[in-house]
Amino acid sequence: MARIAVIGAGMGAMATAARLAVAGHQVTVYERTSTYGGAVGRYERDGFAFDTGPGLLHLPAVYRDLFVKTGKRPLEECVELVQVDPAVRHVLPDGAAVTLPNASRGGAAAVLDDAFGTGAGDRWSAVLGRARDAWNATRRPLLEEPLWPDWQVLGADPYPAVRKSGLLRRRPPTLAEIAARELGGPLGDLLAERVLAYGVDPATAPAAAAVLPYMEQTFGSWYVRGGMRALATAVHERCRERKVDFVFGSEVREVVQRDGRAAGLLLADGEVAEADAVVCGVDPRALAIPLAPGSTPARGGAGLRSRSTLFLALRGARPADAVHRTLAGAGVTVLRPDDPATAPDPEHEAVTVQAVVDAAAAPSAEDLLAAAARAVPGLRERLLWHELRTPADIADVTGAEDGAVPAPALAGAGGRLLYPANTTALPGLYLAGGWAHPGGGLPHAGMTGALVAGLIVEGAGFRGSR
């Protein structure tokens, strides 16, 4: 039995801790704040409740696997998963709206034909079909295996652009170019908006970014009843069931080295926590973690973005035809969960507005209110109060520089959108969570748990689960 010290209590760190504890290790998590979950938090006021981080779960199989591998009670016995249908509503620049069903290729095609004319659904299905090819080509190396030492091979874009489209003459196409040429007009804007919602810039992202909307359409969108914070609570409780210790309010100053390997943590109060191995579940730049030789950039590509979030307390019941998620343009997402736990009574509604932003140019509350009004009719007349969370608030919670929020790893773009390997230049020191391979987002952060635990338990020869 080895002593494992884990830095941070985010989702990826806790997923790693639970798996290591099941393998028989003594695991202690050191978290500088007073609670677990990282960005997956909850804000409550006057009987209203809001998720501070992700509002939906994609690829729930990641957490189903975590719960199967770490205990007797499956995920569905620990949280109530609700499939969101319809999946998303797009508000177009002219004010028109297109609402797409959840996990239905045929249903989405029919809606798009109605909205944009016959053939639009076929064009959409063809693009996501090519995205499926990119998904199949990169799923294992990007999500299910430790990052290959020759990760440069993932720098080639696996998206098979249409022949004779003019997009391969000089360089691989961007997602925005694919959207414009293979879909065109407002239909192309729908694809670009879906990608931007992940914090990925369609103008510079590789065409392989189309795997993100493909993943949603194929595996569905899910909500956790009571709010996404309930998922973080379930993972924390699973860790506690497996005898993982949590030390909150304990900031890590540096990783202790001894005899050329990680040997513990130096805490801010001067205490040294001895360990046989260390897992860093926070931004590795914060602790000057030495990356593996030849590793990818720590930022997962230039220009990482943050989030601004506006919480809205509304008088009046949530309309029966309200859609859980609306993309209102310019990277703005409006979330209206059908969940009594989010409001003080049935005559009120809690709405969350999230915007992908640059930390230096975050929008004002008024900007977000204006965007939300496109998705919520009569918003201003119903508004009781609002509260803004900025990139600076994210930085306070997660410790990430400028409040940056890591996006999922993507193939293509010369490897700019990959993340550092889960191993490092220091033996016994590993990286988990959204700042390590395979990047940000609830599913991807959860996947680091399986990867890091496999590397620690099975050694450098671990090649992922089969």
Side-chain angles (χ1 to χ4, degrees), residues 78 101 193 339 419 421:
C78 300
E193 276 294 316
D339 186 351
Y419 286 80

Side-chain angles (χ1 to χ4, degrees), residues 59-454:
L59 271 182
V62 173
Y63 289 91
R64 289 190 179 111
D65 181 72
L66 171 65
F67 277 73
V68 166
K69 299 293 177 55
T70 59
K72 295 181 179 179
R73 297 176 64 212
L75 176 63
E76 280 81 358
E77 288 188 13
C78 300
V79 298
E80 183 181 352
L81 278 179
V82 180
Q83 194 165 23
V84 175
D85 199 11
V88 61
R89 177 172 175 257
H90 291 267
V91 176
L92 304 178
D94 64 1
V98 177
T99 303
L100 299 179
N102 195 4
S104 174
R105 175 176 176 176
V111 168
L112 296 173
D113 276 345
D114 288 342
F116 302 113
T118 302
D122 285 343
R123 296 200 305 277
W124 177 268
S125 295
V127 167
L128 292 197
R130 289 186 280 277
R132 178 196 58 218
D133 293 340
W135 167 267
N136 290 337
T138 60
R139 177 175 178 170
R140 282 201 62 83
L142 267 180
L143 304 180
E144 299 173 357
E145 298 177 343
L147 191 66
W148 295 344
D150 59 339
W151 56 264
Q152 290 83 354
V153 300
L154 292 172
D157 194 333
Y159 182 89
V162 176
R163 294 176 60 84
K164 298 182 180 180
S165 65
L167 293 179
L168 295 175
R169 293 175 181 173
R170 299 179 304 278
R171 54 169 173 74
T174 65
L175 187 283
E177 289 169 335
I178 286 292
R181 300 209 185 183
E182 296 185 13
L183 294 174
L187 185 59
D189 293 340
L190 263 60
L191 184 72
E193 276 294 316
R194 294 283 281 277
V195 169
L196 179 57
Y198 285 86
V200 176
D201 184 357
T204 58
V211 300
L212 299 174
Y214 163 78
M215 180 178 69
E216 287 186 24
Q217 181 168 293
T218 303
F219 302 108
S221 299
W222 301 77
Y223 174 71
V224 178
R225 187 72 68 188
M228 297 302 294
R229 174 67 175 178
L231 178 62
T233 297
V235 176
H236 175 253
E237 291 176 350
R238 178 54 53 90
C239 285
R240 297 291 295 162
E241 290 170 5
R242 302 280 73 83
K243 309 303 181 185
V244 174
D245 288 327
F246 285 81
V247 184
F248 294 108
S250 184
E251 185 171 359
V252 175
R253 183 176 298 169
E254 64 182 57
V255 176
V256 174
Q257 302 182 35
R258 190 176 301 120
D259 299 327
R261 64 176 290 112
L265 304 175
L266 174 62
L267 306 179
D269 62 5
E271 178 186 352
V272 174
E274 301 285 345
D276 301 303
V278 171
V279 177
C280 176
V282 301
D283 186 345
R285 295 171 296 168
L287 295 171
I289 298 295
L291 303 182
S295 189
T296 60
R299 295 188 69 88
L304 272 176
R305 296 185 168 191
S306 185
R307 297 282 194 281
S308 283
T309 303
L310 189 67
F311 304 130
L312 306 178
L314 305 184
R315 62 172 63 88
R318 178 185 186 273
D321 61 351
V323 175
H324 188 116
R325 176 176 57 152
T326 297
L327 299 185
V332 175
T333 300
V334 179
L335 299 170
R336 307 177 69 182
D338 183 10
D339 186 351
T342 63
D345 56 57
E347 297 307 314
H348 292 85
E349 181 183 6
V351 174
T352 302
V353 185
Q354 298 176 336
V356 175
V357 302
D358 294 319
S364 66
E366 180 57 35
D367 293 333
L368 294 181
L369 274 172
R374 291 168 48 80
V376 184
L379 171 66
R380 293 185 184 275
E381 292 76 15
R382 298 179 58 197
L383 185 63
L384 290 171
W385 53 261
H386 65 268
E387 190 159 333
L388 180 67
R389 289 290 183 269
T390 68
D393 295 311
I394 293 177
D396 287 341
V397 171
T398 67
E401 183 179 322
D402 297 326
V405 177
L410 292 169
R416 287 189 301 106
L417 299 179
L418 299 176
Y419 286 80
N422 305 109
T423 53
T424 69
L426 182 65
L429 175 59
Y430 302 85
L431 301 182
W435 292 102
H437 174 74
L442 279 174
H444 297 72
M447 290 169 187
T448 63
L451 296 177
V452 174

Side-chain angles (χ1 to χ4, degrees), residues 451-464:
L451 296 177
V452 174
L455 287 165
I456 292 175
V457 173
E458 298 187 24
F462 174 71
R463 290 295 178 265

